[in-house]
Amino acid sequence: MSTRPKSATAPSEEIVRKHREYLWPAVTNYYREPLVADHASMQYVWDIEGNKYLDFFGGILTIGVGHCNPKITSKIKAQVDKLQHTSTLYPNEAIVALAEKLAQITPGRLQKSFFTSSGTEANEAAILLARMAGSSYDVVALRHAYSGSSALAKGVTAQAAWRKGGVISVGIAHAVNPYCYRCPLHLKYPDCGVACASDVENLIQTGTSGSIAAFIAEPIQGVGGFITPPPEYFKIVYRIVKNYGGLFISDEVQTGFGRTGKKWFGIEQWEVTPDIITCAKSMANGVPVGATVTTADLADKFQGLTISTFGGNPVTSVAARAVIEVIEEDDLLENAQAVGSYFRKRLEELQEKYLVIGDVRGMGMMQGLELVRDRKTKEAAPAETTELMERARANGLLIGKGGLYANVIRLAPPLNISKADVDEAIRLLDRSLSEVRL
Ligand SMILES: Cc1ncc(COP(=O)(O)O)c(C=O)c1O
């Protein structure tokens, strides 16, 4: 499909003009001519000119079970008419039902939830709790991380573009990340002995007070460009973190709720049970909710009071619970695994065909393509990445971008797509790649 030509009075032009006039420019849009979204259904989005797109980015990994999935929206609509907001000053059926469900699907003894409205707040709460629970203030995070937009979350974030304005990161130290394609230690897996994991210990000994409140990481770095650690990585880091008194926080804002296939949470793929899990994004399929889930013992250690006014409001709680139920009823953990593996195989076929694809990585419905100008030097190809996004959009496929060097294509379709959707996405990607000037 090609984008239809627009008339001089295309409705999108007025909206884009107003966007530029009334919104902060830092809130960036994709594409030379931004796509004005009009409506969506399951794996498809339509723009205001009526063009239809297969959506493989889902509002930045937020549409986990399909746009406007009627199994979710019907429950949201009913709840809006019944009870919309009372704050957590009054318990309600929806919030406890969601919390109970989360206790069932999270690993280990994670049992108690604190609800917020975003991933940023979920991470804030996790770090705050870790600092209250032990005697250390120090936190270890990973380079290339993205944790959110608050002051503390920006301190954890480790990409320059997201750290402007004098970020205060007292008590936060960053270890090298397990970026095998561009190993920060210039080693090669598996001969490296996963030396990047040992760097966490050296960092604690040299860059902190010698004990830590917590280690926080995304199982697969999202904004960082779907950087996927080797199988041993988190087990090694977990042991180090425990030796130095820290809690292990798994930021599942992108990897949560089945995204990586087979398991509810990404960290389970590495067979590590974290002390705290944070989630948001696809947790409620587009309704703003975040959660910080921990053990009963740790939840007891939170000092004083806390609240997030909209956190766990009945409408958002109903939406999140409905998402869990759809994943269970439609067997989407299995689907994400099976269709995700097929997707990966098809992407590797594209890698054989196009030299520009230097690396294919990720898990399940979270697959990344790192684009390079030269496979030997691995020179990043950001212009080609932007061009590929433009071509894909023109051909009817929505994809995302990420990575410190802006050269990683991020692909994250809903968990309930079929192999036929993958075939269509691959056909459109293939066509788009063939149109990119390399
Ligand atoms: C891994 C991760 N953590 C936290 C956040 C922050 O979430 P939010 O934008 O909902 O505050 C994001 C957002 O992209 C994220 O990708």
Side-chain angles (χ1 to χ4, degrees):
M1 188 207 79
S2 297
T3 309
R4 258 176 249 151
K6 287 185 287 179
S7 70
T9 54
S12 58
E13 283 175 16
E14 183 63 358
I15 292 171
V16 170
R17 187 188 66 71
K18 287 190 181 171
H19 198 283
R20 292 196 174 126
E21 193 170 345
Y22 297 114
L23 280 98
W24 287 16
V27 180
T28 184
N29 293 145
Y30 272 163
Y31 308 120
R32 277 190 286 272
E33 286 186 36
L35 185 159
V36 177
D38 184 67
H39 62 281
S41 174
M42 301 309 280
Q43 69 272 53
Y44 300 109
V45 170
W46 283 261
D47 69 19
I48 200 157
E49 267 88 28
N51 298 302
K52 181 182 178 185
Y53 304 91
L54 179 60
D55 185 3
F56 265 44
F57 200 39
I60 322 180
L61 292 91
T62 295
I63 302 303
V65 294
H67 287 279
C68 307
N69 185 325
K71 287 187 181 167
I72 314 291
T73 55
S74 57
K75 290 185 178 160
I76 294 173
K77 286 175 198 165
Q79 187 61 44
V80 167
D81 287 336
K82 187 180 172 207
L83 179 71
Q84 197 170 356
H85 183 80
T86 57
S87 85
T88 37
L89 295 176
Y90 313 104
N92 64 71
E93 198 185 340
I95 193 171
V96 297
L98 172 60
E100 185 177 19
K101 203 79 193 159
L102 277 173
Q104 286 164 12
I105 65 167
T106 44
R109 293 184 302 111
L110 302 191
Q111 185 199 331
K112 291 208 174 183
S113 293
F114 170 59
F115 294 110
T116 54
S117 315
S118 68
T120 299
E121 281 180 277
N123 283 337
E124 285 264 348
I127 293 171
L128 199 58
L129 174 61
R131 284 176 168 169
M132 288 174 175
S135 54
S136 176
Y137 185 77
D138 286 308
V139 171
V140 170
L142 294 182
R143 294 190 194 174
H144 299 228
Y146 183 86
S147 265
S149 52
S150 67
L152 175 57
K154 271 177 176 285
V156 174
T157 294
Q159 296 184 46
W162 303 101
R163 282 176 65 93
K164 305 288 181 197
V167 167
I168 302 167
S169 30
V170 177
I172 301 166
H174 288 94
V176 294
N177 64 340
Y179 191 178
C180 292
Y181 184 63
R182 294 180 191 276
C183 175
L185 303 172
H186 306 288
L187 299 171
K188 216 169 165 39
Y189 179 82
D191 301 339
C192 62
V194 200
C196 55
S198 316
D199 181 60
V200 171
E201 177 156 34
N202 186 255
L203 181 70
I204 294 171
Q205 291 168 344
T206 59
T208 77
S209 58
S211 66
I212 58 170
F215 167 84
I216 179 166
E218 306 151 75
I220 296 177
Q221 291 186 315
V223 177
F226 290 4
I227 294 168
T228 310
E232 307 86 343
Y233 178 76
F234 282 119
K235 264 193 191 150
I236 300 172
V237 171
Y238 183 86
R239 275 197 299 273
I240 297 169
V241 168
K242 290 297 151 194
N243 283 342
Y244 290 85
L247 300 182
F248 190 106
I249 304 171
S250 187
D251 176 345
E252 301 273 355
V253 170
Q254 294 212 7
T255 47
F257 279 30
R259 171 68 49 198
T260 58
K262 203 128 187 142
K263 312 277 186 190
W264 283 99
F265 295 94
I267 196 65
E268 295 177 87
Q269 308 283 4
W270 282 265
E271 296 169 354
V272 160
T273 304
D275 300 294
I276 306 177
I277 274 181
T278 60
C279 40
K281 286 201 189 283
S282 70
M283 166 176 183
N285 208 42
V287 171
V289 60
T292 308
V293 194
T294 190
T295 63
D297 293 347
L298 283 168
D300 281 346
K301 300 225 162 79
F302 198 92
Q303 297 159 19
L305 302 174
T306 188
I307 189 169
S308 172
T309 297
F310 294 115
N313 112 348
V315 179
T316 60
S317 293
V318 158
R321 183 162 165 234
V323 167
I324 298 173
E325 285 168 355
V326 165
I327 293 173
E328 285 175 339
E329 285 160 18
D330 297 351
D331 215 2
L332 296 185
L333 297 184
E334 288 303 323
N335 196 64
Q337 162 86 1
V339 178
S341 309
Y342 177 69
F343 187 24
R344 173 59 166 267
K345 186 175 84 58
R346 301 283 338 254
L347 289 170
E348 284 168 358
E349 285 165 18
L350 284 184
Q351 186 185 24
E352 279 172 27
K353 189 166 169 190
Y354 296 99
L355 284 174
V356 74
I357 304 177
D359 193 28
V360 184
R361 56 178 178 253
M363 281 185 186
M365 296 299 191
M366 191 171 181
Q367 299 289 338
L369 306 176
E370 177 151 356
L371 304 192
V372 290
R373 294 209 174 113
D374 181 321
R375 282 202 180 168
K376 255 213 168 90
T377 65
K378 299 186 180 172
E379 182 192 351
E384 292 80 353
T385 307
T386 304
E387 190 57 26
L388 178 57
M389 291 196 50
E390 292 285 351
R391 294 314 312 152
R393 181 253 179 108
N395 288 321
L397 177 69
L398 302 185
I399 56 181
K401 191 165 72 165
L404 186 62
Y405 315 107
N407 68 326
V408 181
I409 292 292
R410 288 194 284 166
L411 302 159
L415 310 187
N416 47 3
I417 58 158
S418 65
K419 287 186 178 170
D421 294 312
V422 167
D423 288 339
E424 179 60 1
I426 293 290
R427 188 181 73 78
L428 297 173
L429 262 180
D430 190 353
R431 181 166 159 192
S432 307
L433 279 157
S434 74
E435 292 166 353
V436 174
R437 284 179 303 275
L438 301 170

